[in-house]
Amino acid sequence: MATKPLTGTKVFLMLVAFFGVVIGVNVTMMKLAIATLPGTDVDSPYAAGLTYDREISAAQDQAARNWQVSAHIERRADGAATLQVDARDAKGLPMSGLKFEGRLERPTDKRADVSVELPESGSGIYRGNAAAVAPGQWDLVIEGETRGQRVFLSRNRVILN
């Protein structure tokens, strides 16, 4: 059986095919990586840096109020979740008239975040529902405001089964 000779054209075509496959795989992997994880924690790090001092001041004001705010979240079998916030002042009295909002944020994918409106359902009790909450780790963010000003912020890692 006679073998065909290795010519310069064959070597050139083998090199082009090899590097074409390598470049094609690299481009595909880059596109998948960029589409999967955006890689940003905040939309504008510059703007976040400018508000840093205000956030420190707001945290000090919140600590001085000495409020007792507790949250309970429960995920049901159908995938929906119920979030309840119990807000009390420094003396332990229920706080009414605040506007609370909750957010379930995925630590790994900002696109999966779920907002939960928390209307007041009783004296100092704020309750809301979220549909289609997947199991796993979430950051539970609770914000409370009065007269258009944020007066409470809490961020806690929770695991929903």
Side-chain angles (χ1 to χ4, degrees):
M1 180 166 138
T3 60
K4 294 183 181 180
L6 185 62
T7 64
T9 305
K10 279 186 182 179
V11 171
F12 175 73
L13 292 176
M14 289 187 327
L15 280 173
V16 168
F18 172 76
F19 284 109
V21 168
V22 169
I23 290 170
V25 168
N26 285 339
V27 167
T28 302
M29 296 300 274
M30 280 189 331
K31 285 185 176 185
L32 290 173
I34 291 169
T36 303
L37 185 61
T40 58
D41 193 29
V42 294
D43 292 332
S44 171
Y46 177 72
L50 293 177
T51 62
Y52 186 70
D53 288 337
R54 276 186 280 168
E55 291 295 324
I56 290 174
S57 177
Q60 290 170 341
D61 292 345
Q62 177 177 323
R65 285 186 207 96
N66 201 23
W67 287 356
Q68 302 159 15
V69 178
S70 62
H72 177 75
I73 186 164
E74 185 176 326
R75 184 176 177 277
R76 297 189 300 266
D78 65 355
T82 301
L83 174 60
Q84 178 175 314
V85 174
D86 184 9
R88 299 187 177 274
D89 64 12
K91 296 176 184 175
L93 300 173
M95 293 190 304
S96 293
L98 296 173
K99 181 181 176 191
F100 275 98
E101 180 182 313
R103 257 187 339 274
L104 288 166
E105 297 178 348
R106 267 291 197 207
T108 56
D109 189 0
K110 190 175 185 178
R111 296 170 295 180
D113 294 356
V114 178
S115 288
V116 182
E117 288 191 34
L118 299 169
E120 190 168 5
S121 63
S123 181
I125 305 289
Y126 301 84
R127 184 176 294 141
N129 294 310
V133 177
Q137 286 191 4
W138 293 87
D139 287 335
L140 174 59
V141 180
I142 299 171
E143 291 187 52
E145 63 178 54
T146 181
R147 290 178 246 140
Q149 181 180 359
R150 189 182 80 202
V151 292
F152 182 81
L153 175 64
S154 171
R155 179 183 295 270
N156 295 290
R157 179 72 47 101
V158 296
I159 298 176
L160 300 177
N161 294 322

